[in-house]
Amino acid sequence: MATSTVVVAREDLTIPGAVEASGLDTNDPEHIENELFKTLEQNKADAVLLDLTASRGQGVAAIRRIRRRSAVPILVVCRPEDTLAADYRRAGAAACLNPPIDLMQMKEALGLPDASNGRGMAPLFVSAAAEGIRFAGYVLRPRDNRLIGPDDTEVALSAIETRVLQHLVETPGIVWPAAAIAEAAQGAEAGGAGNADRAVGPVIARLRKKLARLGGAEGQHLIKTQIGRGYMLAAEAEPAWPSLITARRA
Protein backbone atom coordinates (compact mmCIF):
# COMPACT_ATOMS: atom_id res chain seq x y z
CA MET A 1 0.00 0.00 0.00
CA ALA A 2 1.07 3.57 -0.71
CA THR A 3 0.77 6.12 2.06
CA SER A 4 -0.71 9.58 2.35
CA THR A 5 0.79 11.94 4.91
CA VAL A 6 -0.95 15.01 6.33
CA VAL A 7 1.01 17.56 8.39
CA VAL A 8 -1.07 19.51 10.89
CA ALA A 9 -0.22 23.15 11.62
CA ARG A 10 -1.64 26.06 13.57
CA GLU A 11 -2.33 29.58 12.30
CA ASP A 12 1.22 30.70 13.21
CA LEU A 13 2.54 27.65 11.26
CA THR A 14 3.76 25.85 14.37
CA ILE A 15 3.23 22.10 14.43
CA PRO A 16 1.41 21.00 17.61
CA GLY A 17 3.78 19.23 19.98
CA ALA A 18 6.87 20.14 17.95
CA VAL A 19 7.44 23.44 19.78
CA GLU A 20 7.40 21.78 23.19
CA ALA A 21 9.48 18.83 22.02
CA SER A 22 12.20 20.83 20.27
CA GLY A 23 12.32 24.09 22.25
CA LEU A 24 11.57 25.99 19.05
CA ASP A 25 11.74 29.78 19.42
CA THR A 26 8.13 30.89 18.93
CA ASN A 27 9.27 34.52 18.64
CA ASP A 28 11.02 33.82 15.34
CA PRO A 29 8.35 33.48 12.58
CA GLU A 30 10.98 32.75 9.93
CA HIS A 31 12.40 29.88 11.97
CA ILE A 32 8.90 28.48 12.55
CA GLU A 33 8.09 28.70 8.84
CA ASN A 34 11.32 27.00 7.86
CA GLU A 35 10.64 24.17 10.32
CA LEU A 36 7.21 23.59 8.78
CA PHE A 37 8.57 23.38 5.26
CA LYS A 38 11.40 21.14 6.40
CA THR A 39 8.78 18.80 7.87
CA LEU A 40 6.76 18.86 4.64
CA GLU A 41 9.82 18.01 2.60
CA GLN A 42 11.26 15.35 4.91
CA ASN A 43 7.93 13.51 5.18
CA LYS A 44 6.89 14.05 1.55
CA ALA A 45 3.58 15.42 2.81
CA ASP A 46 0.49 15.10 0.65
CA ALA A 47 -1.44 17.86 2.44
CA VAL A 48 -1.43 20.40 5.26
CA LEU A 49 -4.32 20.42 7.73
CA LEU A 50 -4.40 24.04 8.94
CA ASP A 51 -6.20 24.40 12.29
CA LEU A 52 -7.99 27.77 12.35
CA THR A 53 -10.56 26.87 15.02
CA ALA A 54 -8.91 29.40 17.35
CA SER A 55 -8.02 31.87 14.59
CA ARG A 56 -6.94 35.39 15.42
CA GLY A 57 -7.67 36.66 11.94
CA GLN A 58 -4.38 35.58 10.36
CA GLY A 59 -5.68 32.51 8.54
CA VAL A 60 -5.56 34.03 5.06
CA ALA A 61 -1.98 35.20 5.64
CA ALA A 62 -1.01 31.72 6.87
CA ILE A 63 -2.45 30.09 3.75
CA ARG A 64 -0.59 32.54 1.53
CA ARG A 65 2.67 31.89 3.39
CA ILE A 66 2.29 28.16 2.74
CA ARG A 67 1.23 28.67 -0.86
CA ARG A 68 4.26 30.89 -1.62
CA ARG A 69 6.61 28.01 -0.92
CA SER A 70 4.59 24.87 -1.63
CA ALA A 71 1.82 23.59 -3.89
CA VAL A 72 0.76 21.00 -1.30
CA PRO A 73 -3.06 20.94 -0.83
CA ILE A 74 -4.25 22.88 2.23
CA LEU A 75 -7.28 21.70 4.21
CA VAL A 76 -8.59 24.31 6.63
CA VAL A 77 -10.37 23.36 9.85
CA CYS A 78 -12.53 26.28 10.97
CA ARG A 79 -15.68 26.90 12.97
CA PRO A 80 -19.05 27.09 11.15
CA GLU A 81 -19.43 30.75 12.18
CA ASP A 82 -16.08 31.72 10.66
CA THR A 83 -16.98 34.34 8.02
CA LEU A 84 -13.62 34.04 6.25
CA ALA A 85 -14.14 30.55 4.80
CA ALA A 86 -14.56 31.92 1.26
CA ASP A 87 -11.41 34.02 1.71
CA TYR A 88 -9.48 30.94 2.82
CA ARG A 89 -10.43 29.17 -0.41
CA ARG A 90 -9.57 32.20 -2.53
CA ALA A 91 -6.17 32.38 -0.80
CA GLY A 92 -5.41 28.81 -1.82
CA ALA A 93 -7.17 26.36 0.55
CA ALA A 94 -8.50 23.25 -1.19
CA ALA A 95 -11.40 22.90 1.24
CA CYS A 96 -12.75 24.19 4.57
CA LEU A 97 -13.94 21.60 7.09
CA ASN A 98 -15.94 22.21 10.27
CA PRO A 99 -15.37 20.18 13.44
CA PRO A 100 -16.26 17.49 14.23
CA ILE A 101 -14.33 16.26 11.21
CA ASP A 102 -15.45 12.98 9.71
CA LEU A 103 -12.67 10.78 8.36
CA MET A 104 -14.69 10.52 5.15
CA GLN A 105 -14.60 14.32 4.78
CA MET A 106 -10.82 14.29 4.91
CA LYS A 107 -10.70 11.39 2.47
CA GLU A 108 -12.97 13.14 -0.03
CA ALA A 109 -11.13 16.46 0.29
CA LEU A 110 -7.80 14.73 -0.37
CA GLY A 111 -9.21 12.57 -3.16
CA LEU A 112 -8.31 9.32 -1.40
CA PRO A 113 -9.95 5.97 -2.26
CA ASP A 114 -13.20 4.91 -0.62
CA ALA A 115 -12.55 4.24 3.08
CA SER A 116 -16.04 3.12 4.07
CA ASN A 117 -14.81 -0.43 4.70
CA GLY A 118 -12.11 0.81 7.08
CA ARG A 119 -9.30 -0.29 4.77
CA GLY A 120 -8.93 2.66 2.42
CA MET A 121 -7.59 5.12 4.98
CA ALA A 122 -6.24 3.57 8.17
CA PRO A 123 -4.37 6.23 10.15
CA LEU A 124 -1.07 5.91 11.94
CA PHE A 125 0.30 8.72 14.10
CA VAL A 126 3.64 10.34 14.85
CA SER A 127 3.11 12.12 18.16
CA ALA A 128 5.31 14.68 19.86
CA ALA A 129 3.50 14.30 23.16
CA ALA A 130 4.49 10.83 24.38
CA GLU A 131 5.39 12.08 27.87
CA GLY A 132 1.95 13.45 28.65
CA ILE A 133 -1.15 14.65 26.80
CA ARG A 134 -3.53 17.10 28.47
CA PHE A 135 -7.21 17.22 27.58
CA ALA A 136 -10.30 18.57 29.35
CA GLY A 137 -8.54 18.64 32.74
CA TYR A 138 -7.09 15.12 32.38
CA VAL A 139 -3.53 14.02 31.69
CA LEU A 140 -2.79 10.85 29.77
CA ARG A 141 0.70 9.43 30.28
CA PRO A 142 1.10 6.89 27.46
CA ARG A 143 4.49 5.55 28.53
CA ASP A 144 3.18 4.70 32.00
CA ASN A 145 -0.32 3.57 30.94
CA ARG A 146 -1.78 6.06 33.44
CA LEU A 147 -4.69 8.48 33.31
CA ILE A 148 -4.70 11.36 35.83
CA GLY A 149 -7.94 13.13 36.64
CA PRO A 150 -8.75 16.80 37.28
CA ASP A 151 -8.17 16.33 41.03
CA ASP A 152 -4.84 14.50 40.52
CA THR A 153 -6.26 11.06 41.30
CA GLU A 154 -5.30 8.45 38.75
CA VAL A 155 -6.19 5.06 37.30
CA ALA A 156 -4.14 2.46 35.48
CA LEU A 157 -4.91 1.70 31.85
CA SER A 158 -4.25 -1.42 29.86
CA ALA A 159 -1.95 -1.07 26.86
CA ILE A 160 -4.87 -1.22 24.41
CA GLU A 161 -6.86 1.32 26.44
CA THR A 162 -3.89 3.69 26.35
CA ARG A 163 -3.45 3.36 22.60
CA VAL A 164 -7.15 3.89 21.85
CA LEU A 165 -7.43 6.88 24.18
CA GLN A 166 -4.22 8.42 22.84
CA HIS A 167 -5.54 8.07 19.31
CA LEU A 168 -8.72 9.92 20.25
CA VAL A 169 -7.23 12.67 22.44
CA GLU A 170 -4.68 13.57 19.79
CA THR A 171 -7.50 14.17 17.29
CA PRO A 172 -10.38 15.81 19.21
CA GLY A 173 -13.36 16.48 16.99
CA ILE A 174 -12.47 13.88 14.34
CA VAL A 175 -14.89 10.97 13.98
CA TRP A 176 -12.98 7.72 13.52
CA PRO A 177 -14.56 4.43 12.37
CA ALA A 178 -13.91 1.50 14.70
CA ALA A 179 -11.75 -0.11 12.01
CA ALA A 180 -9.48 2.95 11.86
CA ILE A 181 -9.14 3.06 15.65
CA ALA A 182 -8.35 -0.65 15.77
CA GLU A 183 -5.76 -0.26 13.01
CA ALA A 184 -4.06 2.57 14.90
CA ALA A 185 -4.13 0.67 18.21
CA GLN A 186 -3.43 -2.87 17.02
CA GLY A 187 -1.85 -2.56 13.60
CA ALA A 188 -1.98 -5.68 11.47
CA GLU A 189 -3.68 -7.59 14.31
CA ALA A 190 -6.85 -5.50 13.98
CA GLY A 191 -8.52 -7.83 11.48
CA GLY A 192 -11.60 -6.85 9.50
CA ALA A 193 -14.29 -4.26 10.20
CA GLY A 194 -16.46 -6.75 12.08
CA ASN A 195 -13.61 -7.73 14.37
CA ALA A 196 -12.80 -4.04 14.91
CA ASP A 197 -16.34 -3.26 16.09
CA ARG A 198 -16.20 -6.11 18.58
CA ALA A 199 -12.72 -5.14 19.78
CA VAL A 200 -13.08 -1.37 20.05
CA GLY A 201 -16.56 -1.17 21.61
CA PRO A 202 -15.62 -2.81 24.94
CA VAL A 203 -12.43 -0.71 25.16
CA ILE A 204 -14.45 2.49 24.71
CA ALA A 205 -16.88 1.33 27.40
CA ARG A 206 -14.03 0.70 29.87
CA LEU A 207 -12.45 4.07 29.08
CA ARG A 208 -15.74 5.86 29.71
CA LYS A 209 -16.01 4.20 33.13
CA LYS A 210 -12.47 5.23 34.05
CA LEU A 211 -13.00 8.79 32.83
CA ALA A 212 -16.17 8.94 34.93
CA ARG A 213 -14.36 7.52 37.96
CA LEU A 214 -11.89 10.39 37.79
CA GLY A 215 -14.11 13.21 36.55
CA GLY A 216 -17.73 12.29 37.10
CA ALA A 217 -20.50 12.35 34.50
CA GLU A 218 -18.74 14.95 32.36
CA GLY A 219 -15.79 12.63 31.96
CA GLN A 220 -18.03 9.75 30.96
CA HIS A 221 -19.44 11.78 28.08
CA LEU A 222 -16.10 12.93 26.67
CA ILE A 223 -16.01 10.04 24.19
CA LYS A 224 -18.99 10.41 21.87
CA THR A 225 -20.53 7.72 19.67
CA GLN A 226 -21.59 8.87 16.20
CA ILE A 227 -24.13 6.24 15.17
CA GLY A 228 -23.05 4.45 12.03
CA ARG A 229 -19.83 6.49 11.80
CA GLY A 230 -17.59 5.81 14.77
CA TYR A 231 -16.18 7.57 17.84
CA MET A 232 -14.75 10.99 18.64
CA LEU A 233 -13.39 12.83 21.65
CA ALA A 234 -15.41 15.92 22.58
CA ALA A 235 -12.53 17.53 24.47
CA GLU A 236 -13.05 20.75 26.35
CA ALA A 237 -9.40 21.71 25.87
CA GLU A 238 -7.94 23.34 22.78
CA PRO A 239 -7.42 20.67 20.12
CA ALA A 240 -3.94 19.19 20.32
CA TRP A 241 -3.67 17.94 16.76
CA PRO A 242 -1.01 15.34 16.03
CA SER A 243 2.09 16.46 14.19
CA LEU A 244 1.58 14.02 11.37
CA ILE A 245 -1.25 11.86 10.12
CA THR A 246 -0.07 8.98 7.94
CA ALA A 247 -2.92 7.30 6.11
CA ARG A 248 -2.62 4.06 4.17
CA ARG A 249 -4.12 4.01 0.72
CA ALA A 250 -5.84 0.88 -0.46
Side-chain angles (χ1 to χ4, degrees):
M1 294 184 181
T3 62
S4 177
T5 301
V6 180
V7 175
V8 186
R10 302 186 184 99
E11 185 176 44
D12 62 358
L13 302 190
T14 56
I15 298 173
V19 172
E20 297 79 3
S22 66
L24 188 66
D25 181 5
T26 56
N27 294 317
D28 186 349
E30 183 177 355
H31 188 186
I32 290 172
E33 183 174 317
N34 288 338
E35 285 296 313
L36 171 64
F37 287 101
K38 181 167 45 174
T39 299
L40 294 178
E41 182 178 352
Q42 288 177 343
N43 293 279
K44 295 180 172 56
D46 296 284
V48 172
L49 188 66
L50 187 62
D51 179 15
L52 299 181
T53 54
S55 175
R56 297 181 178 179
Q58 299 302 311
V60 170
I63 294 168
R64 288 174 176 166
R65 288 170 66 190
I66 296 171
R67 189 52 67 237
R68 279 198 300 267
R69 296 179 58 176
S70 175
V72 64
I74 301 170
L75 303 181
V76 167
V77 182
C78 59
R79 299 189 183 280
E81 63 270 20
D82 193 328
T83 60
L84 296 176
D87 293 330
Y88 299 151
R89 288 190 289 271
R90 281 193 290 268
C96 294
L97 309 177
N98 300 138
I101 301 172
D102 193 301
L103 181 61
M104 294 296 289
Q105 288 180 286
M106 289 183 60
K107 179 271 299 183
E108 292 170 2
L110 288 171
L112 294 177
D114 183 13
S116 59
N117 60 7
R119 295 193 301 269
M121 187 177 181
L124 304 171
F125 289 93
V126 178
S127 171
E131 294 296 335
I133 307 169
R134 296 183 179 274
F135 67 101
Y138 294 81
V139 177
L140 172 64
R141 296 198 177 277
R143 290 185 178 178
D144 302 328
N145 291 330
R146 288 189 297 139
L147 179 63
I148 303 171
D151 62 355
D152 291 331
T153 57
E154 61 181 70
V155 296
L157 302 177
S158 67
I160 186 65
E161 289 170 354
T162 295
R163 290 194 293 269
V164 168
L165 184 57
Q166 181 174 0
H167 182 81
L168 293 173
V169 301
E170 290 186 328
T171 55
I174 293 184
V175 180
W176 295 107
I181 297 173
E183 178 81 12
Q186 298 176 298
E189 301 175 3
N195 290 336
D197 288 331
R198 289 190 293 271
V200 171
V203 176
I204 295 292
R206 295 197 300 271
L207 286 171
R208 284 173 173 154
K209 288 182 180 179
K210 292 183 178 183
L211 287 164
R213 189 188 309 171
L214 297 176
E218 291 184 3
Q220 185 174 8
H221 297 298
L222 278 174
I223 301 177
K224 303 289 187 183
T225 300
Q226 300 288 323
I227 303 300
R229 296 165 62 198
Y231 304 94
M232 61 168 275
L233 187 95
E236 298 174 4
E238 179 181 354
W241 298 96
S243 297
L244 301 173
I245 301 175
T246 304
R248 292 182 180 177
R249 289 185 183 177

